[in-house]
Amino acid sequence: MIEAHGLTKSYGGPGARVRVLDGVGLRVAPAGIHALLGPNGAGKTTTVRILSTLTTPDSGSARVAGYDVVADRRRVRRLISLTGQSAAVDETLTGRENLRMVARLTGLSRPRARQRADELLTRFDLLDAASRQVRTYSGGMRRRLDLAAGLVGSPDPGVYFLDEPTTGLDPRSRRELWQVVRDLADQGATVLLTTQYLEEADQLADRVAVLDQGRIVAEGTPATLKSRLAGHRLDLVLSSREAYLRLATRAVHHSPETLTLGIPTDGTAAHARALLDDVDPHRTDVERFSLHSATLDDVFLALTTGPTEAPAHV
């Protein structure tokens, strides 16, 4: 449903060009949720802006539902919905008025606009608040209304680009929005979302692509990515900074503040004992240890280099 090959994009003037995307390739299957992870400045938002026709790549190509995002921009826009990092709704209008306004702007007749607004208010559990000004809505309600507005003129099931949709929401509102996104996918929608919350990708995504310094550095199901770092991790709290530095190259998780290193293991008692004997044969360097399953946090930290300085909207 979404396919990109060799996307590049740079920003800035002569002599100060910053390459944000450096040959990004991506394939997103229909009817599912694909997460794009990466540190700030990795190029996530730029990728979404290209795929949603808001900007053009310097080189490379991309298609949505078979249509080229540059040559067939109008057709692509009829098929997609885009939700940015902040809710794009009018706070002085009611929820119903916002949706009717968007419906009229997309060309629906007045009767059809009223009908479509009520359909979406019901679908997103906003009907009881439909007559209230949006300024009275909670953050979660605003995001649901923002998603609903994006669906007004898009055909179901459609293609949805969600750029950090739960940023700033409290845990309860985040989980409510997760369910909305799951429902969209269950109804056949194709969802590409960027997120800073690794738990979010773990909970929602069928597949995850990890973007770092403008390149896709890993891609697969959450379980597959975790298995790349072994299924489990043995966390060691070291007794000294010297021991920490000596063992740091073997670890996939690093916490210098607490002198803690995480080393991959298969999770068996035999392997954990062997690792402890190997890293601390004299039994003086490890103060304590714990065993837990690998997480997407481990994948993220192992595969990315951290935030980079980048232009706005990257």
Side-chain angles (χ1 to χ4, degrees), residues 83-91 134 139 142-147:
T83 299
Q85 294 181 14
S86 58
V89 291
D90 191 326
E91 295 189 347
V134 173
R142 292 187 191 197
R143 294 305 277 167
R144 295 206 306 274
L145 182 66
D146 200 30
L147 280 174

Side-chain angles (χ1 to χ4, degrees), residues 45-102:
T45 295
T46 298
T47 301
V48 168
R49 287 176 62 84
I50 289 173
L51 295 174
S52 59
T53 78
L54 293 183
T55 192
T56 57
D58 295 338
S59 63
S61 63
R63 291 181 175 274
V64 174
Y67 296 111
D68 188 277
V69 298
V70 177
D72 301 311
R73 181 176 301 181
R74 290 181 181 273
R75 290 182 176 180
V76 171
R77 289 182 175 180
R78 294 191 186 102
L79 297 172
I80 68 172
S81 169
L82 171 64
T83 299
Q85 294 181 14
S86 58
V89 291
D90 191 326
E91 295 189 347
T92 64
L93 300 179
T94 67
R96 180 176 283 113
E97 287 169 343
N98 266 281
L99 296 186
R100 287 183 179 178
M101 176 183 67
V102 174

Side-chain angles (χ1 to χ4, degrees), residues 94-97 99-100 114-131 137 144-145 148:
T94 67
R96 180 176 283 113
E97 287 169 343
L99 296 186
R100 287 183 179 178
R114 288 194 295 269
Q115 180 184 19
R116 184 62 171 156
D118 286 343
E119 289 172 356
L120 291 168
L121 289 165
T122 301
R123 181 174 176 179
F124 285 86
D125 195 25
L126 291 168
L127 197 57
D128 290 343
S131 299
Y137 284 18
R144 295 206 306 274
L145 182 66

